[in-house]
Amino acid sequence: MRVRNDPFVLAGREYGSRLIVGTGKYKDFEETRRAIEASGAEIVTVALRRVNITDRSQENLLDYVDPKQYTILPNTAGCYTAEEAVRTARLAREAGVGTLVKLEVIGDPKTLFPDVPATLEAARVLVKEGFSVLPYITDDPIACKRLEEIGCPAVMPLAAPIGSGLGIRNPYNLQIILEQSQVPVIVDAGVGTASDAAVALELGCDAVLMNTAIAGAKDPILMAEAMRQAVEAGRKAFLAGRIPKKLYATASSPTEQMIE
Amino acid sequence: MVAIVNGRERPLAAGVTIADLLAELALGGRRVAVELNRDIVPKSEYASRPIRDGDRIEVVQFVGGG
C-alpha cells in the first residue's frame, strides 16, 4: 500500500516514487529498461556524450527510456571545471528534455568527490539561465546551504563515493543537512544494497539516487525491485516514527498474571 | 572542404548546412544537440547554418549514465 498524500515534490512536479535511478553500466538497453521498470522510478538520469559517427548502427537510449513516460535528468558527469559543466548542461537542454540538470563538477578522478567551489560557481550560472539545478555535493551542510541560497530546488549530498557501495557513512551530517534544508535532500551516490536506501529514507531524506547498486548487482532487475521496496519501507518507517533507542530491555509481553 | 566533426576530420561538400550533415549521419529527427565552434546551434537554425572549412562541430546525444 502506498502512503496516501505523500508525494515527492521536485522542482514543482509531484512524483509517487522516491527512487531516482541511473542508466549507466547495464548489459544493454533492454536490461536498462527492465531495471527502471522494476525500480518504479519516475526520474531517470542520463549522460551526454558525442555521437559515435563511425558506427551508426548504435541504438539510442531514449528509444528504451521514453521521455514521455519518465522525467529525464541529464547529468554533467565527467566534467572537472565549472565551464565544462555549464557547457554540458546547455547542450543537454538543447537536446530537448527540459531544464532539469544533475550538476556534477568532479574534483578528483580517484574519489570522484565534488569540487565544491566549482560546483557553486556552475550552479550560480545555471540557475541564472533558468535551469533547475540538482547538485551532486559533499555531505557538507555549509555547501548544501550555499547551494540552496543560490536557488537549487534540491541538494544531493553523497552518502559515500560514487559506485563504492559503502552505504550511509555519515548519517549525522545528513541529519544536519536535513534539519537546515528548506528544499528536498536527495542522497546521491554510495548506496550498496537495499538497507542503505532504507536508512537514507528513515533518516528523512526525501529521495535517493543510485545507479551502480542496481546495474552492478548480479541480478539487476531483482535488485531494482528490492530498492523500490527498501525506499518505500524507509519512507514509511520515517513517517511512522521509530521508537527511541535504549540501552536496556523493555518486555513486550505482560509482566503481570504470570503462572505461579 | 574539411570540418572537424566530433574530433575527426570529415570532408564535406561546399555549402553544406548542419541539417545536411545530420541527414548524412542519419541523425535527422534524432534527439541530439549541436555545437558549431563552441556555440550551440538552435534546432531552428540547422537548415540555415552553413558549415565552413575548418569548422569544429560537436554532435552529442544522451547515453547511459548515473
Side-chain angles (χ1 to χ4, degrees):
Chain A
M1 193 187 87
R2 213 155 228 177
V3 179
R4 271 175 298 172
N5 299 321
D6 179 39
F8 167 46
V9 182
L10 180 66
R13 264 192 75 174
E14 286 191 4
Y15 299 93
S17 168
R18 292 174 179 271
L19 176 55
I20 302 173
V21 295
T23 51
K25 295 187 182 175
Y26 286 99
K27 188 177 73 193
D28 51 37
F29 287 149
E30 180 56 22
E31 188 183 64
T32 313
R33 186 192 66 73
R34 289 176 58 217
I36 295 170
E37 198 177 277
S39 76
E42 296 162 292
I43 306 171
V44 172
T45 66
V46 298
L48 193 78
R49 292 292 180 270
R50 278 175 168 170
V51 171
N52 183 344
I53 50 177
T54 51
D55 176 15
R56 293 300 314 129
S57 63
Q58 289 181 331
E59 288 183 291
N60 190 294
L61 171 66
L62 296 188
D63 293 337
Y64 288 80
V65 186
D66 184 1
K68 285 190 206 102
Q69 190 184 349
Y70 297 101
T71 295
I72 304 295
L73 174 55
N75 68 29
T76 63
C79 293
Y80 280 80
T81 63
E83 194 194 352
E84 285 170 32
V86 167
R87 182 185 181 196
T88 304
R90 287 172 180 157
L91 277 166
R93 177 161 66 179
E94 191 56 36
V97 291
T99 56
L100 275 182
V101 64
K102 174 183 161 182
L103 175 62
E104 283 182 58
V105 188
I106 303 299
D108 161 61
K110 197 167 175 183
T111 60
L112 297 179
F113 280 145
D115 181 325
V116 175
T119 304
L120 295 174
E121 189 189 331
R124 264 184 217 107
V125 173
L126 292 172
V127 166
K128 260 191 210 137
E129 293 184 12
F131 284 89
S132 292
V133 179
L134 311 180
Y136 157 72
I137 196 69
T138 323
D139 59 348
D140 168 1
I142 308 306
C144 288
K145 191 186 276 181
R146 295 290 171 261
L147 287 162
E148 185 177 337
E149 287 164 359
I150 286 169
C152 295
V155 290
M156 304 208 297
L158 58 86
I162 293 174
S164 70
L166 287 172
I168 313 295
R169 290 298 83 208
N170 197 340
Y172 304 104
N173 268 29
L174 288 178
Q175 226 172 307
I176 295 169
I177 294 165
L178 284 162
E179 258 187 49
Q180 71 176 19
S181 297
Q182 306 298 312
V183 294
V185 176
I186 302 167
V187 160
D188 178 9
V191 165
T193 188
S195 52
D196 299 332
V199 167
L201 275 291
E202 283 168 19
L203 284 169
C205 293
D206 297 89
V208 60
L209 193 163
M210 65 182 75
N211 190 156
T212 309
I214 296 175
K218 271 190 200 147
D219 184 340
I221 315 301
L222 192 58
M223 186 58 91
E225 193 184 331
M227 289 301 184
R228 175 175 61 76
Q229 291 170 332
V231 166
E232 285 178 9
R235 179 62 182 179
K236 284 178 188 173
F238 168 72
L239 293 174
R242 61 152 299 151
I243 60 163
K245 290 181 186 179
K246 291 181 304 175
L247 190 56
Y248 293 103
T250 315
S252 305
S253 307
T255 48
E256 301 90 42
Q257 307 293 352
M258 297 296 291
I259 305 161
E260 280 177 29
Chain B
M1 68 168 187
V2 174
I4 314 291
V5 182
N6 284 2
R8 285 167 172 267
E9 286 192 358
R10 187 177 188 90
L12 292 168
V16 155
T17 64
I18 296 289
D20 296 332
L21 173 65
L22 293 180
E24 200 179 305
L25 296 171
L27 290 169
R30 307 292 294 193
R31 210 178 285 268
V32 295
V34 178
E35 259 185 12
L36 177 61
N37 299 323
R38 307 270 310 206
D39 284 328
I40 288 175
V41 184
K43 279 187 181 48
S44 55
E45 293 176 23
Y46 284 177
S48 57
R49 284 289 274 275
I51 299 170
R52 298 199 167 83
D53 190 47
D55 276 352
R56 303 188 74 90
I57 299 158
E58 295 283 341
V59 186
V60 298
Q61 67 177 354
F62 293 119
V63 300

